[in-house]
Amino acid sequence: VVAHHEDRAAPGAAVRKQILVDMMSRKMADRSLVAVAHTGNLTYEQSALLKREVQSAGGSIHVVKNSLLGLGMRNAGLDALVPLLRGKVAVAVGDDEVALAQTLLGASKKVPDFFVLGAVLQSRRVLRHTEVERLAKLPPAEVVYSNLVSQMLPGSVLRVPNPAAHLVALLGHHSSGGDADGGGGGERE
């Protein structure tokens, strides 16, 4: 009788697991930032704090069995993050990558065992912990756009002789993995 009961329960468990994998895959697909963080043994209060803070940055944070997270990551094309799924971890996702990075790093100061292990930016660039810290120091995109537009307005004193050429060069340098300041002193993988 027990074996018969287990046979009926197994397909239901498989369906639940597949639903979780599909749900996580959808949540991670095409997000600006997907980060994996070590959580340690969170208290209920710490877990609620993390959830509130990540939601305030426009993101969400999820604690799901690592094997299911790994399947969801593979389905979402985030295979590079799978090796980080060791021990007690959570995945945080969001579309405002700077705000989410700032929030996650701020949370690590409030929750002792919480820290970012790595992330994927724009579904293509793998970030180590130190690169997530650099991302968190960037100004929001709206500030960058505002500053750029204000430099091009009539009557403004242009510090860059040809703003369009400078922007193209800066974006080209950034996309090739150089430092955002154009110094070229950063390490490349």
Side-chain angles (χ1 to χ4, degrees):
V1 176
V2 173
H4 179 69
H5 176 70
E6 288 176 352
D7 288 343
R8 285 189 310 194
V15 169
R16 285 191 303 275
K17 287 179 181 180
Q18 188 59 49
I19 289 170
L20 274 173
V21 168
D22 292 344
M23 179 183 73
M24 289 310 303
S25 180
R26 282 191 307 274
K27 287 181 183 291
M28 292 184 283
D30 301 321
R31 299 306 291 266
S32 292
L33 187 69
V34 178
V36 176
H38 177 300
T39 61
N41 292 320
L42 295 175
T43 65
Y44 175 79
E45 292 79 17
Q46 290 170 329
S47 181
L49 172 72
L50 288 171
K51 185 175 180 178
R52 277 192 312 272
E53 292 200 1
V54 170
Q55 285 177 341
S56 73
S60 59
I61 189 165
H62 309 276
V63 177
V64 177
K65 188 175 177 182
N66 289 351
S67 61
L68 300 179
L69 267 180
L71 291 171
M73 285 177 175
R74 285 188 180 94
N75 290 347
L78 300 168
D79 298 58
L81 292 177
V82 174
L84 300 178
L85 301 177
R86 301 281 183 259
K88 296 182 179 191
V89 298
V91 63
V93 299
D95 289 324
D96 186 342
E97 59 270 6
V98 174
L100 183 57
Q102 289 170 343
T103 298
L104 293 173
L105 292 176
S108 68
K109 295 174 184 165
K110 297 175 184 177
V111 180
D113 288 337
F114 183 85
F115 56 91
V116 176
L117 297 168
V120 170
L121 179 65
Q122 301 292 331
S123 298
R124 59 180 185 260
R125 177 162 174 145
V126 179
L127 304 177
R128 295 181 308 240
H129 173 78
T130 55
E131 293 169 311
V132 175
E133 288 177 340
R134 286 176 53 197
L135 176 64
K137 293 177 184 175
L138 291 176
E142 295 79 20
V143 172
V144 173
Y145 299 147
S146 173
N147 289 340
L148 182 61
V149 169
S150 69
Q151 293 295 316
M152 291 192 253
L153 291 175
S156 67
V157 178
L158 291 176
R159 296 180 197 154
V160 179
N162 185 342
H166 179 70
L167 178 61
V168 168
L170 183 64
L171 291 174
H173 181 73
H174 178 69
S175 69
S176 70
D179 286 343
D181 66 0
E187 282 187 53
R188 291 183 61 189
E189 291 186 305

